[in-house]
Amino acid sequence: LGCSRFWYLCFSWMDVFLSIIFSYCLLVHPIFQLLQGSYSFFNCSNLWGSACLCSFYCIKIANFRNRFFIYLKIKIDRMVPWLLLGSVVLSLIIGILVYNTVDKAVGKNLNFTCQESLQKATIGIEEHFFPLYFLTGFLYTTSFIAVIFSAVFLLFSLWRHKHKMQTNSTSSLSMEAHIRAMKSIFSFLVMYSINFVCLILTIIYTTKKENIMTLLLYTYL
C-alpha cells in the first residue's frame, strides 16, 4: 500500500508538471500513454488496497454476533491475499484500458508537427475517455463505500466496547487505548473522504480543462 501510494503521487505530479511546464514532452511516444496508464494503475491499487485493508481490520477487530460476520471473521485470513491480488489485477486492467484508450486517441488525432493538432488530440482523448471516466468514478465510489461501512462498523464496535468497559470500571489505560484507536479511525475516514472528493472533482475539472484547479486538487491527493 505504501509503495502504490508513493508511485501514485510520483506519477500524478509528473503528469501535472509535464502538462503545464513541458507540454511538448508529452508528444513523444509513448510518454503520455505510459504516464496515464501508470497513474491509473497505482491510483486504483492504492484505493482498493486501502479498502481491502480497512475491511480486514473491521472484520478482525469488530465484535458482532451476526452469523455471516462470524463466518467472515473465520475466513478473512485466507480471503485477504486473494482480495489484494484481485485489486492488483483490477488495477492492471484499468491501467491497460487507459493506456490503450490514450494511445488510440493520440494515434487517431495527433499530428506531431503542430500545436493545433495537440488541442484536437486533447478533445479526441476526452471523447474516448468518457466511458473510462464513468468506470473509474464507479470504482472510486465502490471503494469509498467499502471504507465508509468498514470504518463506521468498527467505530461503533469500539464505542460499544468502550461503553461496556466504563460500566465495568476497567483500567484507564485500556480506555485510552480504545479512544486513541477511535480517533485514528475517524481521522483516516476524514482523510479518505477528502481524497475521494478531490478525485471526483479532478475528473470533473479535467474534462473542463481547468488546469489550475486540477493542480490545486492534486495537492490534496
Side-chain angles (χ1 to χ4, degrees), residues 127-152:
E127 292 175 353
H128 285 79
F129 254 88
F130 280 128
L132 279 179
Y133 282 145
F134 176 78
L135 178 61
T136 53
F138 174 76
L139 293 176
Y140 293 163
T141 305
T142 305
S143 62
F144 178 70
I145 291 174
V147 170
I148 288 292
F149 275 97
S150 300
V152 169

Side-chain angles (χ1 to χ4, degrees), residues 99-202:
Y99 180 92
N100 290 331
T101 302
V102 174
D103 190 55
K104 289 180 181 178
V106 171
K108 183 178 180 180
N109 297 279
L110 185 57
N111 180 354
F112 289 93
T113 59
C114 61
Q115 180 67 21
E116 294 180 357
S117 62
L118 178 61
Q119 298 176 356
K120 293 179 181 179
T122 304
I123 297 174
I125 290 172
E126 289 177 359
E127 292 175 353
H128 285 79
F129 254 88
F130 280 128
L132 279 179
Y133 282 145
F134 176 78
L135 178 61
T136 53
F138 174 76
L139 293 176
Y140 293 163
T141 305
T142 305
S143 62
F144 178 70
I145 291 174
V147 170
I148 288 292
F149 275 97
S150 300
V152 169
F153 284 143
L154 186 53
L155 284 172
F156 177 75
S157 179
L158 289 174
W159 176 83
R160 187 177 62 179
H161 187 63
K162 183 180 75 69
H163 183 70
K164 290 182 180 179
M165 293 171 64
Q166 285 179 335
T167 56
N168 294 332
S169 300
T170 312
S171 64
S172 59
L173 292 177
S174 299
M175 291 285 296
E176 291 178 0
H178 279 72
I179 293 174
R180 286 197 300 268
M182 293 172 66
K183 288 181 179 179
S184 299
I185 297 169
F186 183 76
S187 61
F188 169 77
L189 182 60
V190 171
M191 289 187 292
Y192 197 93
S193 301
I194 294 174
N195 184 69
F196 170 76
V197 173
C198 289
L199 284 171
I200 299 299
L201 291 178
T202 301

